[in-house]
Amino acid sequence: LFQIFRQMIEPLHDTHTSVEASDLQQEFTGWRRDPGDRSDADWKEAASIIESKYVQGPLLPYCKGHIQFGMLKSHIGYLRVTTFYDYADGTYADELQCLQRSLTSIFETPEKLNGLVIDVRLNHGGDDPLGVEIASRLTDKKYLAYEKAARNNSGPDAPVQFTERQPLWVVPAAAPGFKGKVALLIGPDTVSAGETFTMALMGREPHVVRIGLNTQGVFSDVLHRSLPNGWYFELPNEVYYTAGGTAFDAIGVPPDIQVSFFTPEDLKVSRDAALEEAMRRLTN
């Protein structure tokens, strides 16, 4: 039975679908395979390359190390965000406060920033509002982050229906931030809240240039349900839309500038092609 359920959801290639059979000690979670996927070992090496070759001085950790900030050459800031969860022990409010304090500390830096690179190429997702909180530090005017609608069917044989779209807005924060040129690094290991964060920057002015590869392509909050035999399954039941009405499920958010990164050839010569492109864009 477990294999049947797995075969039902595996073709969806959706990491927000899963089935768990604790009595069998088996679990399956979907995933969209992509040539740009990198292994844990590759990402560990990539982090070492960025810190030793590109970041000038220390890369400071915040929120249990899930957020890191340092300086690149030409007075460009480098902000790496690896998750939108587990920022602090306690409640979501504690996590939000940790993020707010960290962003204030980062953007209060006495060194003037000529540009900012935000790196979410390895981001495991989490709470969407935390991404919107970061976006609020990067703008001086309110704009639409995205809209979302949930599946709302009256029965299994009814036509597909959704709720009215719910808008979510980016509202400028009174706390310190950065309103200059921003480049965002994305790829297939940018997942879930990392992708809604990417969407939340699409309406920002001046435009945030996206560099890298398509994101993973999963946006919905995860609907968690149990089966009569004690197993669990998860599925997405929402659609996220841009201000123009575009959804990126399955395909992911595309970059403005496509750049493969941390290929075997790049790793051999300790090169981050996407970061180099971002630095070029921000200095020109």
Side-chain angles (χ1 to χ4, degrees):
L1 181 61
F2 180 86
Q3 292 303 319
I4 291 172
F5 286 167
R6 172 175 176 152
Q7 291 166 11
M8 289 171 63
I9 66 174
E10 190 167 8
L12 300 175
H13 304 296
D14 189 319
T15 192
H16 280 176
T17 60
S18 67
V19 57
E20 178 185 355
S22 57
D23 56 339
L24 303 180
Q25 295 185 336
Q26 292 198 60
E27 181 179 2
F28 174 76
T29 300
W31 184 260
R32 179 180 68 82
R33 296 296 173 189
D34 188 284
D37 286 332
R38 295 290 170 256
S39 67
D40 291 343
D42 286 343
W43 280 117
K44 185 176 181 179
E45 185 176 355
S48 176
I49 291 171
I50 292 171
E51 292 165 32
S52 62
K53 183 175 181 179
Y54 298 98
V55 176
Q56 300 183 334
L59 192 61
L60 301 176
Y62 299 87
C63 296
K64 295 187 175 182
H66 298 306
I67 295 175
Q68 298 167 317
F69 182 79
M71 294 299 298
L72 308 170
K73 67 178 183 179
S74 302
H75 300 282
I76 296 173
Y78 175 75
L79 179 65
R80 178 194 288 159
V81 186
T82 58
T83 73
F84 288 104
Y85 67 91
D86 190 33
Y87 285 178
D89 296 329
T91 65
Y92 170 79
D94 296 315
E95 297 194 53
L96 178 60
Q97 289 178 7
C98 178
L99 175 61
Q100 291 171 334
R101 289 193 302 267
S102 299
L103 292 174
T104 295
S105 176
I106 289 169
F107 291 123
E108 277 183 340
T109 174
E111 188 168 0
K112 181 180 182 297
L113 296 181
N114 291 331
L116 177 65
V117 177
I118 304 177
D119 192 346
V120 291
R121 287 175 294 178
L122 177 62
N123 187 289
H124 297 142
D127 295 312
D128 295 340
L130 295 178
V132 175
E133 181 68 24
I134 296 178
S136 74
R137 299 294 188 102
L138 305 175
T139 185
D140 54 11
K141 69 175 185 178
K142 179 180 177 180
Y143 68 89
L144 182 68
Y146 42 78
E147 295 180 313
K148 56 191 291 189
R151 182 78 176 265
N152 189 29
N153 272 38
S154 57
D157 299 323
V160 175
Q161 299 178 7
F162 287 86
T163 61
E164 291 186 11
R165 296 184 186 181
Q166 174 189 0
L168 289 96
W169 299 87
V170 176
V171 179
F178 178 72
K179 312 304 189 297
K181 295 188 293 184
V182 177
L184 180 69
L185 305 182
I186 59 173
D189 293 312
T190 308
V191 184
S192 193
E195 302 182 83
T196 62
F197 172 64
T198 301
M199 291 182 74
L201 294 181
M202 295 180 74
R204 189 252 195 190
E205 295 179 2
H207 176 68
V208 175
V209 59
R210 301 185 303 278
I211 299 173
L213 302 170
N214 282 46
T215 63
Q216 177 63 207
V218 290
F219 299 85
S220 171
D221 296 319
V222 181
L223 188 67
H224 187 81
R225 291 290 184 267
S226 61
L227 296 170
N229 64 353
W231 296 0
Y232 294 93
F233 71 91
E234 294 179 327
L235 56 83
N237 67 319
E238 298 171 327
V239 180
Y240 282 59
Y241 300 93
T242 66
T246 302
F248 298 107
D249 289 283
I251 60 173
V253 181
D256 296 310
I257 304 167
Q258 183 170 333
V259 179
S260 296
F261 48 82
F262 299 130
T263 63
E265 294 75 21
D266 283 348
L267 291 173
K268 287 180 183 178
V269 296
S270 299
R271 182 185 181 218
D272 186 344
L275 180 56
E276 289 180 4
E277 179 64 25
M279 294 168 66
R280 279 194 295 269
R281 293 279 169 171
L282 293 176
T283 53
N284 290 339

